[in-house]
Amino acid sequence: MYQVSDYILYGSASVCQVTDIRLETFSSSLAREYYVLNPVFGNKLEIYIPTDSSKVVMRRVIHLIR
């Protein structure tokens, strides 16, 4: 649904940029595809969201003013 370099609105982290989409294995033995998000304003952290998750509310940002 989202592409690398898209800006999205993600829950409490506010506006984030999709910096990568990749397979990762965290708690389970099966690899899943994840969006890697970086907040645009504030913290320098990476957020991993499964691409197939229906629990996480994300939406595309229409216009971003820096």
Side-chain angles (χ1 to χ4, degrees):
M1 180 176 190
Y2 301 108
Q3 304 296 321
V4 172
S5 78
D6 283 350
Y7 289 95
I8 62 166
L9 187 62
Y10 168 71
S12 63
S14 189
V15 178
C16 295
Q17 185 176 26
V18 179
T19 56
D20 199 6
I21 300 171
R22 62 179 175 227
L23 289 175
E24 290 285 343
T25 304
F26 289 112
S27 60
S28 67
S29 60
L30 300 175
R32 289 176 76 183
E33 189 173 48
Y34 287 84
Y35 293 117
V36 181
L37 308 178
N38 290 97
V40 174
F41 307 106
N43 297 333
K44 299 291 182 189
L45 54 94
E46 287 187 335
I47 302 167
Y48 291 83
I49 304 297
T51 59
D52 61 352
S53 177
S54 60
K55 296 179 183 179
V56 177
V57 178
M58 296 187 296
R59 60 185 171 158
R60 191 176 313 276
V61 171
I62 296 172
H63 185 70
L64 179 67
I65 300 173
R66 284 188 167 198

